[in-house]
Amino acid sequence: MALNITRSLLLLLLSLLQLLTAQTQGETCHLSKRGPAKARYLKFCQNYNSESCCIPGHDLENQLQFELAIDALGPGCKNPMMYPELRYFYCLGCDPLQPKYTSGNEIRVCKSFVDQLWADPAYDDCGIMHSNECPSNWVDAGFDPYACGDDLLLPKQEASWQEITGQTTSPSGIRFLNVFKPPGLYDFDFVEVEDNTDCWNAPAFISSSSRLSGRVGLLIAMLATAVPLIAQWR
């Protein structure tokens, strides 16, 4: 009898694991058009090498766009270790949980990340390079950002913000993110939400345990319940 109970519990856990795997594989990444998978090699977005929603070509595009954003800031500001939040944000499309934080054309970003990015003094001390729009008759030519030049933007200064971006609103962290969108995610709107909801945050700023999905958490909870039962009937 004990053997039968143990076997039944193990079969139940195996079924749950298979269900979890199938559901994860069913989530389609926007960039790769497939489920999350191990990347060949990501240099810029290296946090996502073990499981990723992007491929090396996307990774290189993220790196190039980040470098263009800081390229003309001067020797005291052209440092790849500066602007860490923007660097992580450009890798959002590689995050294997990207589909989880996406609803329609919106991607939810955690308020704590937005606040941390907007508190970076580099935006006051150095500014950032803003990509100029190409002429209207080139709109369908497929030019990459910065292909038509750039301007130095002081994003926290309202006059600079409105003049360079063409927006009439006051600057804010989430508005900044919607101007400097990650490569390949230009058609999405980024919305700021409280951290207690499903929202994206840079993996460097959160614990690995908090990135577990509800399905994984459920499986772990069931394992914790089943192990003592198995031990009891041995």
Side-chain angles (χ1 to χ4, degrees), residues 30 102 104-107 178 181 184-190:
H30 179 74
T102 304
N105 68 335
E106 290 187 345
I107 297 179
N178 276 287
K181 296 182 179 183
L185 301 181
Y186 305 127
D187 293 333
F188 289 93
D189 294 323
F190 296 90

Side-chain angles (χ1 to χ4, degrees), residues 176-213:
F176 175 88
L177 293 181
N178 276 287
V179 169
F180 289 85
K181 296 182 179 183
L185 301 181
Y186 305 127
D187 293 333
F188 289 93
D189 294 323
F190 296 90
V191 295
E192 179 182 343
V193 299
E194 296 296 332
D195 286 40
N196 58 3
T197 61
D198 276 341
C199 56
W200 179 85
N201 202 340
F205 302 153
I206 54 178
S207 66
S208 58
S209 60
S210 65
R211 288 177 60 83
L212 290 173
S213 69

